[in-house]
Amino acid sequence: MQEQTTSAVEARLAELGFELPAVAAPVAAYVPSMVTGNLVYTSGQLPFINGELTATGKVGAAVSAEVAAGQAQVCALNALAAIKAVIGDLDRITRIVKVVGFVSSDPSFTGQPVVINGASEFLGAVLGDKGVHARSAVGVAALPLDAPVEVELIAEFE
């Protein structure tokens, strides 16, 4: 019987108090992640926890920027799960190339970068220098299932 080992990235997640979740089932006609060459593209990840959204609504109205930043962190965790599903081991990640974050925003809300920092700072805490990335943070009128935030990643791996 082969002994199961935990990757360094998953050990770091555990140190931070996180466990990699099961990959969220798609809510439409797409796959959670796709490999091309040495890149993994994730589909937009919603902040599902155990298959449910714990916050809904527009940021700056029904959802505070602080809560939304926590939701962006959950999206990033879900994206890491989607990456692991196609490359097998998160230690294979050599860098996060880009983060794209969408924030369902009240028309007067302009703090999208602060919200998506929840994902960016989380990736830095988990992956160190490999988590430093280019990024877009975009306000949108609505997101699927009335989620407050959605995040997608592009990761390079070996």
Side-chain angles (χ1 to χ4, degrees):
M1 186 166 150
Q2 190 174 14
E3 187 177 315
Q4 235 181 5
T5 59
T6 301
S7 74
V9 172
E10 289 182 77
R12 179 66 180 144
L13 282 168
E15 285 174 23
L16 295 170
F18 296 94
E19 184 177 327
L20 210 58
V23 178
V27 298
Y30 61 88
V31 294
S33 53
M34 178 69 64
V35 172
T36 183
N38 64 334
L39 297 175
V40 179
Y41 290 75
T42 71
S43 293
Q45 299 293 309
L46 298 178
F48 286 122
I49 299 174
N50 297 321
E52 296 184 12
L53 294 176
T54 58
T56 56
K58 298 206 178 307
V59 180
V63 180
S64 72
E66 296 77 21
V67 167
Q71 297 287 294
Q73 179 179 289
V74 172
C75 292
L77 179 65
N78 290 343
L80 289 177
I83 290 169
K84 181 182 179 185
V86 292
I87 68 169
D89 183 349
L90 293 176
D91 288 350
R92 294 180 67 195
I93 294 173
T94 56
R95 80 174 75 188
I96 301 298
V97 177
K98 183 151 188 194
V99 171
V100 180
F102 303 95
V103 181
S104 180
S105 302
D106 180 79
S108 65
F109 183 73
T110 59
Q112 292 83 7
V114 172
V115 170
I116 302 306
N117 278 349
S120 294
E121 292 169 359
F122 174 74
L123 292 167
V126 172
L127 298 167
D129 289 343
K130 295 176 184 180
V132 177
H133 52 268
R135 186 181 88 177
S136 298
V138 181
V140 297
L143 288 170
L145 307 176
D146 200 25
V149 65
E150 180 175 335
V151 172
E152 61 184 55
L153 302 181
I154 301 170
E156 182 181 57
F157 70 99
E158 58 183 7

